[in-house]
Amino acid sequence: MMNFLKTLRLLLFLILFFHVLNQPVYARVYEAETGYKIREVLSLLKPGDTLEIEPGTYKGGILIHGLNGKKGLPVTIKGKDSSNPPIFIGGKTALNFSQCNYICLADVIVRRAGNNGIHVHDGNTGKGNPPPSVGIVLKGIIVEDIGPVGNFDAIKMSGVNSFVIKQNKISGWGGSGIDCVGCANGKISQCLFQGKRGFSQANGVQIKGGSHNILVEKCYFYHPGRRGINLGGSTGFKWFRPGVTDYEAKKIEVAGNIFIGGTAIAFVTSQQGYVHHNAILYPTGWVLRILQEDMDPRFKPCGNSLFMKNIIVVNEKMKDFINIGPGTFPQSFRFRANVWYDPALGRIPRLPFMENAPVYQVNPGVKFEKGKVFFLGNDPRLAGKGPNWYKHKK
């Protein structure tokens, strides 16, 4: 019995010892009120620490290199007062995170950067394939007026794995509102993308360069440029992560979003996309496009994707429901139970494959009120379709 109790005590001691060993000695909260102080504190931060930035205006162009938290113990950088966030203005890239892991950035404003507003990347310069940055969270951030013209992104993610971008507001950019190059296992959730005059705005979200397993959900795209979401793209081979594959993007899910204007969805040299329970309202281009922008034989033809239970409302400004480019495999797309409503012209889409259980010319009762969109139609054929029926994934 005594030996049993000794063994039990030793076991409990070892459990406690290793638990303590894996915890930080202490987690500190630092404050900063100047750019100099921010840079000073960045060199001190350890897993679990927090940097709170006082309200005020700060010069952009801050490089954060090799800053690491741990899983469950991120390093947090945030505005001290979420109702009065610090503002970073200018610089080529206002906030540049290179080879950082387990970082949470929250409650800041970024404005008028020349290249990118925020860039999170693995340090790849096109020479070699370093390991991805992991565990990145961007939350409650406002990014405005980036570019304004050219391939300049509000938020750029390059070689990032296991990330969350949520509850951010992005308005006015040159290239992409959010650009993911060679990223994986991420979620973009509850973000607002609002286009502005004077900005080139190629797309709201672009996911390319070998990216896979990413969810875009419950976002609002208000005239976000030529394309709302680009599932794929045209990436220089040296920028693929971890290397060139047979797709630009794979297993990208787009669900519960609202698109107004532009072309909502473009499948571009991509595979296994899943677009469902969205509302696509008054597109000025197409509802969706199927394209192969790189004809290199290493890529499979764009295809094998599912478009289902979306609500589509169009007017005379729409070019056509769907645009199919050469070199694609449109017959492999599947269309199921979408609602197609054209009150002015009564058009019905011509799809590359017969749709299962479509709903034509049923009014979903779209209503705009105080910046929000409501669907008031009560026809039973609308049940289960559109953003109201999408279940948020935690």
Side-chain angles (χ1 to χ4, degrees):
M1 184 68 178
M2 292 297 294
N3 288 336
F4 172 77
L5 291 175
K6 288 180 180 178
T7 302
L8 181 61
R9 283 196 292 268
L10 177 61
L11 181 61
L12 291 173
F13 171 78
L14 290 173
I15 292 172
L16 179 62
F17 174 78
F18 284 108
H19 175 74
V20 172
L21 189 65
N22 283 293
Q23 302 302 311
V25 176
Y26 50 81
R28 295 191 59 175
V29 177
Y30 297 86
E31 296 182 0
E33 68 290 332
T34 66
Y36 175 81
K37 185 66 175 178
I38 290 172
R39 288 175 171 85
E40 180 184 46
V41 171
L42 285 170
S43 67
L44 304 175
L45 293 173
K46 305 295 183 185
D49 287 351
T50 298
L51 166 59
E52 294 185 343
I53 303 171
E54 296 281 356
T57 300
Y58 301 83
K59 185 178 179 180
I62 296 176
L63 172 64
I64 303 101
H65 177 77
L67 180 60
N68 292 293
K70 292 182 179 178
K71 189 173 183 179
L73 292 169
V75 170
T76 300
I77 302 170
K78 69 186 194 72
K80 185 174 182 179
D81 181 358
S82 61
S83 65
N84 186 18
I87 304 170
F88 293 86
I89 296 180
K92 288 186 176 180
T93 296
L95 298 174
N96 188 345
F97 292 84
S98 174
Q99 296 183 345
C100 297
N101 298 283
Y102 298 106
I103 305 296
C104 176
L105 176 68
D107 301 327
V108 301
I109 296 174
V110 170
R111 288 181 183 152
R112 299 198 296 276
N115 288 359
N116 303 306
I118 298 170
H119 191 184
V120 182
H121 59 97
D122 57 8
N124 190 349
T125 61
K127 300 176 181 178
N129 294 300
S133 292
V134 299
I136 304 298
V137 176
L138 306 179
K139 179 182 178 183
I141 297 167
I142 297 172
V143 186
E144 301 174 323
D145 302 344
I146 305 301
V149 176
N151 188 23
F152 307 119
D153 307 321
I155 297 175
K156 188 175 184 69
M157 310 285 281
S158 306
V160 183
N161 201 331
S162 301
F163 64 91
V164 176
I165 304 174
K166 65 179 181 180
Q167 298 167 1
N168 303 303
K169 297 179 180 179
I170 300 171
S171 61
W173 61 91
S176 302
I178 297 176
D179 189 23
C180 296
V181 181
C183 297
N185 306 312
K187 179 163 70 172
I188 299 170
S189 180
Q190 304 166 74
C191 294
L192 167 66
F193 301 85
Q194 185 160 6
K196 281 186 177 180
R197 289 185 178 180
F199 292 81
S200 52
Q201 292 157 170
N203 49 70
V205 173
Q206 180 166 246
I207 301 170
K208 63 176 187 173
S211 294
H212 59 276
N213 195 28
I214 294 173
L215 168 66
V216 184
E217 61 153 19
K218 295 182 72 66
C219 294
Y220 183 78
F221 297 83
Y222 184 77
H223 295 285
R226 294 191 293 277
R227 301 173 185 177
I229 298 182
N230 218 31
L231 286 80
S234 183
T235 309
F237 286 166
K238 70 178 182 178
W239 303 115
F240 272 74
R241 270 91 157 171
V244 179
T245 60
D246 59 5
Y247 57 84
E248 281 272 357
K250 185 176 182 179
K251 294 185 178 179
I252 309 302
E253 182 177 357
V254 178
N257 304 285
I258 296 175
F259 300 86
I260 300 176
T263 291
I265 304 291
F267 298 90
V268 186
T269 322
S270 62
Q271 296 287 322
Q272 298 180 38
Y274 182 29
V275 177
H276 64 101
H277 289 98
N278 303 283
I280 298 172
L281 308 177
Y282 314 116
T284 50
W286 295 271
V287 172
L288 65 101
R289 305 185 74 182
I290 301 172
L291 305 172
Q292 192 82 358
E293 290 186 343
D294 194 320
M295 296 297 180
D296 189 280
R298 282 173 282 190
F299 293 121
K300 290 181 179 178
C302 183
N304 299 301
S305 295
L306 177 60
F307 187 87
M308 68 177 288
K309 295 188 177 180
N310 302 288
I311 292 176
I312 300 101
V313 180
V314 304
N315 57 22
E316 64 280 358
K317 293 182 180 180
M318 182 190 70
K319 293 181 180 178
D320 203 347
F321 286 99
I322 185 169
N323 170 242
I324 299 173
T328 60
F329 188 16
Q331 297 86 351
S332 66
F333 277 73
R334 294 294 177 264
F335 296 84
R336 297 177 187 167
N338 297 289
V339 177
W340 308 88
Y341 183 54
D342 182 1
L345 303 176
R347 290 168 290 180
I348 293 175
R350 294 169 293 176
L351 303 175
F353 192 89
M354 184 178 294
E355 181 168 6
N356 180 27
V359 177
Y360 299 128
Q361 294 305 95
V362 173
N363 187 353
V366 177
K367 182 180 180 181
F368 296 88
E369 185 175 303
K370 296 181 179 179
K372 294 184 178 181
V373 181
F374 299 91
F375 302 90
L376 307 179
N378 56 10
D379 190 293
R381 289 171 290 180
L382 299 171
K385 302 171 181 69
N388 290 353
W389 293 84
Y390 171 67
K391 294 183 179 179
H392 173 64
K393 296 183 179 180
K394 295 183 179 180

